[in-house]
Amino acid sequence: MKITNAAVLAAAAVGALHLVQRERHQQQQNEVAVARVQLDRLTHLTAHPDLAALWAPPGMDAEEYVKLLDANHQICALSLRHKLGIIRGKQLRFVAEKVMEREIGRRYWKRFGSFRAEEATGDKPAEEFTEAMQDAYAARLETQPVGV
């Protein structure tokens, strides 16, 4: 009888583990789907500057906004890779540094980095990603300010 109880408990544990894994996989699929919609929208706006102009922040011309949207597209793709666990730790720091090597990456971060930090609040992976980007931005500013 004790073997039966142990077998039932083991089967229940395996079943619970399977449900947790399935839920995690579904969450990842949802994140990819949402990211795809966002990336498609960014692609659409960068291809249609007249529409991007409708969404540009006050005082920013459409051409500059399209350039920043393109940088955002790259950063969003990297953020998804991080969220899915594809890039972590040193790899994350490396790609953040590569983004900030580009003047457009620094211009984007100067304008929208605080928004991304606020948006990431409470989401541990997003906070970690944003911190890596902010650190790379700050390090690059020491040697290459925005506009240089």
Side-chain angles (χ1 to χ4, degrees), residues 34-52:
V34 168
R36 179 78 264 155
V37 168
Q38 182 179 13
L39 293 170
D40 287 349
R41 180 67 177 157
L42 290 169
T43 299
H44 183 74
L45 289 175
T46 56
H48 298 91
D50 55 322
L51 296 177

Side-chain angles (χ1 to χ4, degrees), residues 2-27:
K2 289 188 178 196
I3 293 175
T4 303
N5 288 340
V8 168
L9 287 173
V14 168
L17 180 60
H18 177 71
L19 288 175
V20 167
Q21 286 176 327
R22 201 163 82 190
E23 175 63 26
R24 181 170 180 245
H25 181 70
Q26 182 62 50
Q27 180 64 28

Side-chain angles (χ1 to χ4, degrees), residues 80-121:
L80 177 62
R81 289 177 66 200
H82 174 261
K83 194 164 209 136
L84 295 176
I86 297 168
I87 55 173
R88 297 275 186 206
K90 288 181 181 180
Q91 283 182 320
L92 173 58
R93 299 286 172 175
F94 174 79
V95 297
E97 289 169 9
K98 291 299 174 189
V99 168
M100 294 308 161
E101 281 180 1
R102 304 283 183 194
E103 201 271 337
I104 191 64
R106 295 188 307 277
R107 280 199 337 253
Y108 171 83
W109 202 260
K110 180 180 181 179
R111 180 65 174 88
F112 296 107
S114 62
F115 173 78
R116 290 187 72 103
E118 187 177 335
E119 184 180 42
T121 302

Side-chain angles (χ1 to χ4, degrees), residues 47 63 66 135 141:
E63 185 179 333
V66 167
D135 290 350
L141 278 183

